[in-house]
């Protein structure tokens, strides 16, 4: 009885412990193993080597997916951060109706990416969407047909993703701006330092951890981007807007190529870990400076 | 201040408001277009402009989206799938929040050797791309006999949700002084007694954050839904995508938009009612302090 009393906390954690061990780490190990076998339609467990990875990196479609990830991820992160920071600074200038504006900027984050994709697909379709509307205003030669042009379609995904996430970045930055010590800012104002200098020299440098957090969250969203591509372009035209996540899904569920699916999933995980591990490490390290 | 400086200041304020309002319009535009398109007839959509208000309001697209729109050969509208999502989200949110609360309570107040390592392992699990567990989970659900069912989806959402819920509760309970637990122990209160008498009554804000976060995640999920559901158990996001991409018949944009709004309504409603908690969930873990 006393043993039970003493070990209740451990017993409470036990189911989660087993679940995380099996369904996160065990499953990662399983996928890693499959990526090193000749599995096709069915999993096979005989070790083969890195053949799947060689096939993966030789596949033109995977090449496109990785290129798209860097184009999409890079633009998505940079543009969201720039818009987010700008809106946060502007909102921080004692703006009337700040609450309403904040609510409007952030609501897309509550939507499913499938909904976002469906809406933008309709807005961007050349036949009846923006292009047709602007033409009907008299600009007969106006062209905005990125959605159906293989070399431009990836930018429609950037546009929709920025629309969805930039308000969230704004909220992060605004919280950061508000947490800066107001005494320092007031002192700088008394000294007659212009507002833009106060931001660039005092406030923004103290927000470095928030830039890092925003970067991590956005990078994570970019690498996992799947729903938006499915809903907006379904990877097309052709496979012009494939991302690693859609490649993996296609291999796993429509091509029946488990080995390729596993190998591409492992690469995705490694890309995420390359970004997240240093961050988590710095977060979890005991702090001495406070 | 000189009058010139005042003028330039006023100009600046106007510019500021102009930019802010322009962005507000950018964020609102898709919602506006969805709403107006869903209330137009197909005829009006073909002849009118994307940004114009409907000349004649029609609610027929909404009725069709709800109860008769076709996905492939199935013409049941979104209704059955909407209820699938409800049946999936409610238990999954409840279970993952309860488990997260108990886990967080242990991590914050009942430290034991190895607890930190386990917590790090859980935190790490929050960041994995789900693609890496998709294949084995499909096999496992088959083995467990719940492949393609709503209980299967509940199971998956609970497993991959407890990382975040544990994080929420742990970070919240860590701020409650440990002396409180120590004093209660001296008085002879046990693990659960302390939880129910002291911690639970303090937990309403963080329960709200956890419920909203989990609900939004699970309702909006597409990857697990499309990978692990069967024909009768698809969640609303999967059904929406199928309806929009259905190739049979005339493309009914107004029905697509009505369906999209129906699929978005529950999380949008939660956001409007409890936006504050929604933002707290989003920023938890990414902004410290």
């Amino acid at each position: 009885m006393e043993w039970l009393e003493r070990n209740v906390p451990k017993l409470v954690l036990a189911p989660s412990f087993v679940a995380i061990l099996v369904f996160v780490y065990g499953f990662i190990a399983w996928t890693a193993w499959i990526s090193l076998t000749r599995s096709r339609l069915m999993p096979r467990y005989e070790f083969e080597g890195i053949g799947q990875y060689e096939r993966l990196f030789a596949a033109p479609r995977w090449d496109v997916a990785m290129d798209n990830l860097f184009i999409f991820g890079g633009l998505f992160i940079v543009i969201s951060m720039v818009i987010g920071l700008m809106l946060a600074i502007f909102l921080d200038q004692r703006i009337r109706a700040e609450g309403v504006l904040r609510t409007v900027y952030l609501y897309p984050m509550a939507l499913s990416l499938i909904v976002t994709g469906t809406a933008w697909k309709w807005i961007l379709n050349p036949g009846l969407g923006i292009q047709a509307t602007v033409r009907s205003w008299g600009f007969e030669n106006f062209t905005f047909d990125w959605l159906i042009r293989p070399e431009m379609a990836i930018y429609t995904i950037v546009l929709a993703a920025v629309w969805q996430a930039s308000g969230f970045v704004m909220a992060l930055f605004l919280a950061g701006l508000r947490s800066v010590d107001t005494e320092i800012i007031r002192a700088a104002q008394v000294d007659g330092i212009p507002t833009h200098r106060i931001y660039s020299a005092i406030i923004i440098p103290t927000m470095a951890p928030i830039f890092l957090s925003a970067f991590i969250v956005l990078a994570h969203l970019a690498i996992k981007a799947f729903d938006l591509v499915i809903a907006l372009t379904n990877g097309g035209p052709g496979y012009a807007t494939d991302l690693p996540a859609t490649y993996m899904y296609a291999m796993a569920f429509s091509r029946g190529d488990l080995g390729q699916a596993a190998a591409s999933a492992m690469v995705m995980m490694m890309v995420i870990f390359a970004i997240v591990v240093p961050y988590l490490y710095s977060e979890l390290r005991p702090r001495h400076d406070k | 201040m000189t009058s010139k400086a005042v003028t330039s200041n006023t100009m600046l304020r106007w510019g500021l408001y102009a930019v802010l309002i322009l962005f507000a319009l950018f964020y609102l535009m898709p919602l506006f277009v969805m709403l107006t398109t869903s209330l137009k007839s197909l005829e009006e959509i073909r002849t009118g402009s994307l940004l114009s208000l409907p000349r004649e309001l029609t609610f027929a697209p909404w009725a069709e989206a709800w109860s008769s729109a076709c996905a492939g050969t199935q013409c049941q509208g979104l209704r059955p799938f909407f209820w699938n999502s409800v049946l999936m989200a409610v238990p999954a949110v409840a279970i993952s929040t309860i488990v997260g609360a108990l886990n967080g309570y242990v991590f914050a107040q009942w430290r034991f050797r190895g607890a930190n390592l386990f917590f790090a392992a859980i935190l790490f699990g929050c960041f994995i791309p789900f693609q890496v567990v998709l294949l084995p989970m499909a096999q496992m659900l088959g083995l467990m006999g719940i492949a393609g069912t709503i209980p299967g989806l509940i199971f998956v959402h609970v497993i991959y949700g407890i990382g975040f819920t544990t994080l929420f509760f742990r970070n919240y309970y860590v701020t409650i002084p440990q002396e409180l637990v120590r004093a209660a122990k001296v008085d002879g209160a046990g693990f659960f007694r302390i939880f129910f008498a002291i911690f639970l009554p303090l937990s309403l804000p963080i329960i709200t954050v956890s419920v909203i976060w989990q609900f939004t995640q699970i309702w909006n999920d597409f990857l697990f839904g499309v990978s692990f559901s069967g024909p009768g158990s698809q969640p609303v996001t999967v059904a929406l995508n199928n309806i929009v991409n259905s190739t049979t018949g005339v493309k009914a944009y107004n029905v697509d938009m009505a369906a999209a709004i129906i699929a978005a309504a529950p999380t949008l409603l939660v956001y409007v009612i409890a936006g504050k908690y929604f933002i707290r969930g989003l920023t938890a873990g990414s902004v410290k302090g």
Side-chain angles (χ1 to χ4, degrees):
Chain A
M1 203 48 218
E2 197 189 311
W3 178 89
L4 193 70
E5 185 65 27
R6 228 171 345 106
N7 286 290
V8 166
K10 286 181 196 171
L11 289 176
V12 165
L13 277 188
S16 301
F17 182 73
V18 173
I20 299 286
L21 204 66
V22 174
F23 296 107
V24 175
Y25 295 93
F27 277 11
I28 292 174
W30 192 91
T31 303
W33 182 256
I34 290 299
S35 77
L36 298 171
T37 67
R38 275 178 205 278
S39 302
R40 278 284 170 119
L41 206 55
M42 296 302 280
R44 292 168 51 179
Y45 297 98
E46 304 85 42
F47 181 81
E48 187 220 11
I50 57 164
Q52 295 289 0
Y53 291 92
E54 284 169 358
R55 267 178 64 209
L56 183 67
F57 288 112
R61 187 174 172 180
W62 175 254
D63 240 23
V64 171
M66 284 304 269
D67 284 351
N68 279 339
L69 177 63
F70 287 112
I71 297 172
F72 164 70
L75 287 174
F76 165 63
I77 292 170
V78 170
I79 298 174
S80 298
M81 292 245 249
V82 168
I83 292 179
L85 182 62
M86 184 190 74
L87 292 178
I89 291 176
F90 283 11
L91 271 186
D92 199 29
Q93 308 304 316
R94 281 185 233 100
I95 292 296
R96 244 180 278 170
E98 182 201 311
V100 176
L101 287 170
R102 247 186 4 214
T103 308
V104 167
Y105 294 167
L106 199 61
Y107 87 88
M109 205 65 187
L111 300 180
S112 150
L113 283 158
I114 296 292
V115 172
T116 303
T118 303
W120 282 98
K121 186 180 182 172
W122 163 234
I123 294 166
L124 295 172
N125 93 75
L128 293 165
I130 290 189
Q131 175 176 301
T133 303
V134 176
R135 283 185 183 178
S136 76
W137 291 342
F139 303 94
E140 296 294 334
N141 296 319
F142 179 81
T143 310
F144 189 45
D145 56 355
W146 291 2
L147 197 60
I148 52 166
R149 278 173 52 196
E151 76 281 10
M152 297 305 281
I154 189 72
Y155 300 105
T156 62
I157 297 176
V158 175
L159 174 63
V162 166
W163 176 81
Q164 177 126 15
S166 48
F168 162 63
V169 182
M170 177 281 300
L172 275 183
F173 281 135
L174 193 61
L177 291 174
R178 297 275 154 87
S179 66
V180 176
D181 191 354
T182 49
E183 287 296 303
I184 304 174
I185 299 170
R186 212 164 296 144
Q189 280 167 340
V190 169
D191 285 347
I193 298 170
T195 312
H196 66 95
R197 286 285 300 153
I198 295 180
Y199 274 101
S200 63
I202 301 172
I203 299 177
I204 291 173
T206 61
M207 295 198 340
I210 293 173
F211 277 89
L212 187 63
S213 306
F215 172 76
I216 297 287
V217 173
L218 291 172
H220 196 236
L221 283 176
I223 297 164
K224 295 213 295 194
F226 171 74
D227 329 19
L228 185 58
V229 180
I230 295 288
L232 189 56
T233 64
N234 201 11
Y239 50 74
T241 51
D242 243 354
L243 284 174
T246 53
Y247 179 92
M248 186 275 164
Y249 186 81
M251 290 300 146
F253 294 98
S254 42
R255 291 290 192 83
D257 195 337
L258 294 187
Q260 281 297 285
S264 56
M266 290 307 291
V267 174
M268 284 179 68
M269 194 181 72
M270 284 178 242
V271 173
I272 287 193
F273 280 7
I275 295 170
V276 167
V277 168
Y279 170 73
L280 277 186
Y281 180 76
S282 70
E283 287 284 290
L284 290 170
R285 199 182 43 191
R287 240 160 270 274
H288 303 294
D289 53 354
K290 277 190 185 161
Chain B
M1 228 183 270
T2 64
S3 71
K4 206 172 145 197
V6 170
T7 331
S8 84
N9 221 337
T10 325
M11 294 282 286
L12 208 65
R13 301 273 318 158
W14 277 105
L16 211 64
Y17 276 100
V19 172
L20 287 172
I21 289 167
L22 222 59
F23 270 94
L25 294 177
F26 167 66
Y27 290 114
L28 285 173
M29 184 267 286
L31 192 63
F32 171 80
V33 168
M34 276 159 78
L35 204 59
T36 52
T37 304
S38 76
L39 296 169
K40 290 175 187 171
S41 66
L42 271 180
E43 176 55 28
E44 198 184 329
I45 289 173
R46 265 192 295 272
T47 54
S49 139
L50 186 71
L51 297 171
S52 64
L53 287 168
R55 281 190 302 268
E56 267 175 63
L57 280 185
T58 166
F59 293 96
W62 283 76
E64 198 182 330
W66 181 244
S67 54
S68 67
C70 297
T73 53
Q74 293 224 343
C75 297
Q76 314 164 276
L78 274 187
R79 183 171 47 192
F81 307 103
F82 189 92
W83 293 120
N84 282 347
S85 274
V86 173
L87 286 177
M88 168 185 82
V90 171
V93 169
I95 297 169
S96 57
T97 297
I98 293 167
V99 173
L102 286 169
N103 286 353
Y105 170 55
V106 173
F107 280 124
Q109 301 284 347
W110 297 80
R111 304 282 180 79
F112 54 87
R113 228 152 42 102
N116 274 339
L117 189 68
F118 179 34
F119 184 65
I122 286 187
L123 208 56
F124 213 62
C126 292
F127 282 98
I128 60 161
F130 290 134
Q131 279 75 15
V132 89
V133 297
L134 229 43
L135 297 173
M137 188 49 103
Q139 303 260 322
M140 179 66 91
L141 291 175
L143 282 178
M144 291 166 71
I146 49 174
T149 66
I150 291 174
L153 287 172
I154 295 172
F155 177 76
V156 175
H157 282 298
V158 168
I159 294 287
Y160 298 109
I162 53 179
F164 274 100
T165 56
T166 300
L167 182 68
F168 289 149
F169 282 97
R170 184 259 185 195
N171 287 355
Y172 186 76
Y173 288 152
V174 123
T175 59
I176 296 171
Q178 293 206 315
E179 285 71 40
L180 217 59
V181 173
R182 230 166 277 150
K185 270 199 238 177
V186 171
D187 289 347
F191 179 87
F192 286 105
R193 185 78 200 287
I194 298 173
F195 180 73
F196 285 110
I198 300 175
F199 284 80
L200 202 58
L202 296 171
S203 304
L204 190 61
I206 199 65
I207 290 174
T208 314
V209 168
S210 170
V211 165
I212 289 177
W213 170 267
Q214 281 297 91
F215 179 74
T216 310
Q217 291 297 308
I218 295 171
W219 186 275
N220 288 343
D221 163 73
F222 179 72
L223 182 62
F224 288 150
V226 76
S227 305
F228 301 137
S229 67
S233 63
Q234 286 163 337
V236 71
T237 46
V238 176
L240 169 64
N241 191 52
N242 289 343
I243 287 175
V244 171
N245 290 317
S246 186
T247 45
T248 47
V250 189
K251 218 96 208 59
Y253 296 107
N254 48 4
V255 175
D256 291 354
M257 291 304 123
I261 298 174
I262 292 171
T267 49
L268 215 47
L269 199 68
V270 165
Y271 173 67
V272 170
I273 294 171
K276 191 178 80 180
Y277 294 99
F278 175 76
I279 296 164
R280 274 202 18 210
L282 277 177
T283 50
S286 45
V287 182
K288 274 172 295 169

